[in-house]
Amino acid sequence: MFGELLGLWAASVWKAIGSPSLLRLIELGPGRGTMMADALRAMRVLPPLYQALSIHLVEINPVLREKQKAILSGSRDITWHYTIDDVPDGPAIIFANEYFDVLPIHQVIKRETGWHERTVEIDSTGELVFGAAPEPTPAL
């Protein structure tokens, strides 16, 4: 249902930007392609939008590319890219649901001595636990 809602949202955005005759629908890190398949299914209810789509998947994993090709086999005009820089310019809507989940983050916690970066450590029983860097983070 989430992918279908994204498809309907994309239809709304397409109309809001003037219904361009060519719209690049881009997904960063599309996994198996399920979300894109669901979004496209919802977008088919608006044939002018579906005809305007040029689908671009940014995926570096060859195994996942094959899974995407299988699940999206009935879709039209799909191109795979290794980076977003390879996607042609023009009006675009970008999906990136799980893409941001793999980006590194720095989490900090407030202590008496200031803001310390949160760490993951192994305790005396061999379990993973949260900890904190011994020195405060200078930038904070």
Side-chain angles (χ1 to χ4, degrees):
M1 180 184 276
F2 179 67
E4 290 171 343
L5 288 172
L6 283 178
L8 296 174
W9 168 81
S12 173
V13 171
W14 176 71
K15 284 188 171 195
I17 63 173
S19 305
S21 61
L22 178 61
L23 177 71
R24 285 148 189 85
L25 184 60
I26 304 165
E27 185 172 2
L28 306 178
R32 294 175 308 204
T34 305
M35 187 176 76
M36 180 61 79
D38 293 344
L40 291 171
R41 184 173 45 257
M43 296 168 97
R44 282 190 180 105
V45 301
L46 191 57
L49 167 59
Y50 191 74
Q51 291 303 313
L53 291 178
S54 174
I55 303 160
H56 298 268
L57 303 179
V58 179
E59 178 62 67
I60 62 171
N61 184 315
V63 173
L64 288 176
R65 279 186 175 205
E66 291 305 314
K67 289 182 181 191
Q68 295 154 15
K69 287 176 186 176
I71 199 164
L72 296 167
S73 63
S75 302
R76 51 182 298 281
D77 195 17
I78 301 176
T79 307
W80 279 263
H81 305 278
Y82 287 99
T83 75
I84 195 168
D85 295 330
D86 297 333
V87 176
D89 290 336
I93 294 175
I94 302 173
F95 296 156
N97 182 44
E98 295 181 6
Y99 179 79
F100 294 112
D101 294 347
V102 300
L103 297 178
I105 63 157
H106 293 277
Q107 188 178 45
V108 293
I109 54 177
K110 179 82 169 159
R111 294 260 167 113
E112 290 178 12
T113 56
W115 290 97
H116 294 254
E117 186 165 8
R118 177 168 279 191
T119 59
V120 177
E121 303 168 357
I122 299 175
D123 71 8
S124 60
T125 66
E127 297 292 318
L128 292 175
V129 295
F130 286 116
E135 297 297 322
T137 304
L140 300 174

